[in-house]
Each structure stands twice: as structure tokens, then as C-alpha cells.
Amino acid sequence: MNAAVLVDGLVRGGLEQARAELQKYWEAVGEMPGLGTLFSNISGEKAATTPLESIPAYVEAMKKNLSPYDLPLANDNPMRRLLTDLIDFDRLRSQKEIQLTVCATNARTARRRVFTDNDLSVEALLASACLPQLFRAVDIDGEPYWDGALTGNPALGPLLTKRPDGDLIIVRVDPVNRPEAPRSQRDILNRTVEISHNSTFWLELGAIAVVLRFLDEARSPFRRVRFHIIEASPIMERFPMSSKLNNYPPLLEYLFNLGRVLGSRKIERRSVSARRWTYSGCCLGVFGTISECCRLLASPLENRANITRRMSDQAGAECNPNRGRSLLPRGVVDLPHERRKRRAAERAC
């Protein structure tokens, strides 16, 4: 839904329009009746770290253990009207400037379906975000669909096969790590859902890594891809899983501002370059495979510097014609003559 709102805004009026549309979308979400009404007079940051399970009204509602099919059929997804009011789907389907892909999971066959510019609709967006414990499956062409995160979070293959050489910026909204292993039944269930939604992404990256091995042999359907990541793991690891269900307006504003701060900080620290690599992203074909990048991005933040050093040493050894003599010896990683040798080796690679 974010992607569709963003693209529609970009096509309609550029960056400023896209920002305005996203702001309008999330403000409307915050105004909807929902679990956010259980909060009042606290900051967004405080609401983000407050488990809904600590609120008696929420606990009582969960005790009913109702399926979406136990509720009246008239209980339609409230997002439908918001999306149809905000997005011009005819314009979204006809535009050719930006490729947009949306994924949903067939609840009957367990296979994913990727919707592209030509077949995007409000039903496709609703299906892509249809949490099965909260909403009835969305019917599209006679088939029931659930949340796309179950099978593609997001679906990278169909997107990357059609892209030229470029950079892929990953905005991670789920923490990979948690401070402690869950113990209660609900915490265990929440963590299994979180892991399953993350694992689809990591597994697809691993599959793409295999294909990218054939890149230099001109047999790969992919071009070179440089991965970068924007994340707030140390902060979001403190958020309970139930915070995902909370539409308390100050919480949404807090997350909105957090993303903007982190995105701006990322841009300020690093201009996107085809031959650069930092702790939060990697350049494939220069400093490692996707699988190595996955290991780095999934590791705790405090371990990334050591992993970075090892990968840099390995890359220097692989690029060096003498094989085994690293262009980035430990303790001499930033001397001018070493930088010149490293860049020459990168160009050769």
C-alpha cells in the first residue's frame, strides 16, 4: 500500500506530491477506529514499547478467539475506501515510468502471485496486506489471497530481472534479532510469525545469490545489484509484536519521523556509488556475494565491523593477481597507497 501510494504521488506531482500523499495516507489510518483508541495522552515512543497485552480491554477481546469468518460479512476491510479515494488505479496501471510489483499469497495453493503495473487493483493491495487472523481472504479471479509476506516479503526476483545495473535500498521494518527468546504462548506465536515473514526475504536473496554466480558468464537474468539497508534495529527490537496492530496517531507520527531521520542520515553518510561498500550494504561482485551480505545484515550491529573487515580482506585477496595477499591488510585499511591499490583491484574485478 505504501508503494502504490508513493508511485501514484510521484507520477501525479513528483517528490513533494508523493510525500504529501504518504502523509495523508497514514494520517487517515490513524483516524480509523482501531486498537489505537486504547491509548491516550502518551507519546508515540511510549506507545511503541507498550504491549497491547498489558491493556485489559485488548486481553478481553482476544479471549473471544474469533475468526474473521465469525464476524458479519458487512465487516469489510476499512482500507478499501481509503485506497480508492487516494489512488487513481487507472493512472497507476497506465504509467510506465516506475515499475511497481505487489505480492499476495494464494490461501488455497500456498503459491504467491505477483501483481505488476498491468493488473494492480484495490483488491491486489488489500490481498497483499490481508492478515488472515484479522481479515477474510480477498477473492481475486475466483481464488482466495492472504498477506504476501507469507511467500515474498517482497518478491525480489520479478523486480530484479527487469532492472538494469543499479542499487537496491532495503528498508527493514521488522527486527531480525530479539533480546531474549520468547517464553509465553503468545510471544512464541508472535515470534514464529515474525521469523516466517523475514525468512521469505532471506531465502529469496540466497536463491538470487546462486543465479548471480553466473553473472560474469553472461548467463544470469540479473544485472549487478548493489544492496543498501535502512534500519532501526536497536530501537525496533524494543517494540512488542502487537505494536504492529496499533494505529495510535502519535505512534504513527513517531515511526514516520524515525524513518525520515534514518533515511536522511543514510543519505548524508553515503552517496550511492557502484564501487563503494559500507557496514550497512554491499556491492556484489566487489566485496562479496548476496549470501555474505545476508549474513552481515542479519548479524547484530556490534558484530558488523569485524565481518566487514574479514569480507574486505577476502575481497582484496580475490582481486589480487597474487591470490592470497590481501589488498586490505589488517591495520592498514585507509592509507593513501592502499586505497589506490584497492581501487585498481576493484576496477579490475
Side-chain angles (χ1 to χ4, degrees), residues 46-343:
K46 177 67 175 176
T49 56
T50 302
L52 289 174
E53 293 83 0
S54 66
I55 301 175
Y58 175 80
V59 174
E60 287 301 315
M62 291 299 101
K63 284 181 179 178
K64 297 179 181 179
N65 201 27
L66 295 176
S67 158
Y69 294 89
D70 294 329
L71 302 174
L73 184 60
N75 187 42
D76 193 19
N77 192 322
M79 300 298 294
R80 181 184 299 275
R81 182 172 179 179
L82 171 59
L83 294 171
T84 53
D85 289 346
L86 199 59
I87 299 173
D88 185 333
F89 284 93
D90 290 333
R91 177 173 52 223
L92 201 61
R93 286 187 289 265
S94 62
Q95 66 87 24
K96 303 300 179 186
E97 301 174 47
I98 304 172
Q99 181 185 347
L100 176 62
T101 59
V102 174
C103 179
T105 302
N106 190 311
R108 189 180 62 81
T109 66
R111 300 186 66 178
R112 80 180 182 191
R113 176 172 174 179
V114 178
F115 299 89
T116 58
D117 301 323
N118 296 327
D119 53 2
L120 277 173
S121 63
V122 65
E123 284 75 19
L125 295 186
L126 291 174
S128 74
C130 179
L131 295 173
Q133 66 271 31
L134 297 180
F135 302 107
R136 296 188 180 200
V138 178
D139 186 273
I140 301 176
D141 299 332
E143 293 285 351
Y145 286 93
W146 281 343
D147 191 346
L150 297 170
T151 51
N153 193 25
L156 289 176
L159 179 67
L160 297 184
T161 52
K162 299 180 180 179
R163 295 292 90 192
D165 291 8
D167 296 81
L168 181 67
I169 299 175
I170 302 162
V171 180
R172 216 162 67 184
V173 297
D174 280 321
V176 174
N177 304 300
R178 287 291 186 182
E180 299 176 353
R183 292 183 176 273
S184 71
Q185 184 178 14
R186 177 163 292 278
D187 286 345
I188 291 170
L189 175 62
N190 287 340
R191 185 56 176 157
T192 57
V193 170
E194 197 169 57
I195 290 173
S196 67
H197 283 194
N198 276 302
S199 64
T200 56
F201 173 73
W202 300 116
L203 288 171
E204 188 158 11
L205 273 186
I208 291 174
V210 175
V211 180
L212 281 171
R213 291 178 183 174
F214 301 105
L215 184 64
D216 293 330
E217 303 175 31
R219 288 190 286 159
S220 171
F222 301 107
R223 300 292 184 181
R224 288 196 183 276
V225 183
R226 292 169 293 276
F227 286 76
H228 316 273
I229 193 164
I230 298 174
E231 62 179 347
S233 288
I235 298 174
M236 298 190 74
E237 286 171 14
R238 297 186 289 111
F239 296 177
M241 183 72 174
S242 59
S243 65
K244 294 176 179 292
L245 305 176
N246 192 346
N247 66 327
Y248 180 52
L251 167 59
L252 299 179
E253 184 178 3
Y254 167 69
L255 296 175
F256 205 95
N257 292 334
L258 179 63
R260 190 170 289 281
V261 168
L262 292 172
S264 299
R265 189 178 300 166
K266 174 76 173 180
I267 293 171
E268 290 170 1
R269 278 205 313 255
R270 167 198 173 98
S271 59
V272 176
S273 168
R275 296 295 179 181
R276 283 287 189 178
W277 194 89
T278 68
Y279 296 163
S280 55
C282 59
C283 177
L284 303 179
V286 176
F287 281 150
T289 64
I290 285 186
S291 59
E292 290 168 330
C293 298
C294 291
R295 188 177 75 249
L296 177 78
L297 299 180
S299 66
L301 292 176
E302 60 270 16
N303 295 341
R304 293 189 184 176
N306 292 332
I307 297 175
T308 299
R309 177 68 62 81
R310 288 198 299 271
M311 291 174 66
S312 299
D313 287 349
Q314 180 183 355
E318 291 177 353
C319 293
N320 194 327
N322 293 324
R323 309 286 301 181
R325 292 184 59 195
S326 173
L327 294 181
L328 287 169
R330 296 182 190 278
V332 196
V333 296
D334 203 34
L335 294 178
H337 68 282
E338 291 294 341
R339 283 205 302 271
R340 286 195 295 271
K341 291 194 328 190
R342 183 170 76 250
R343 287 167 182 165

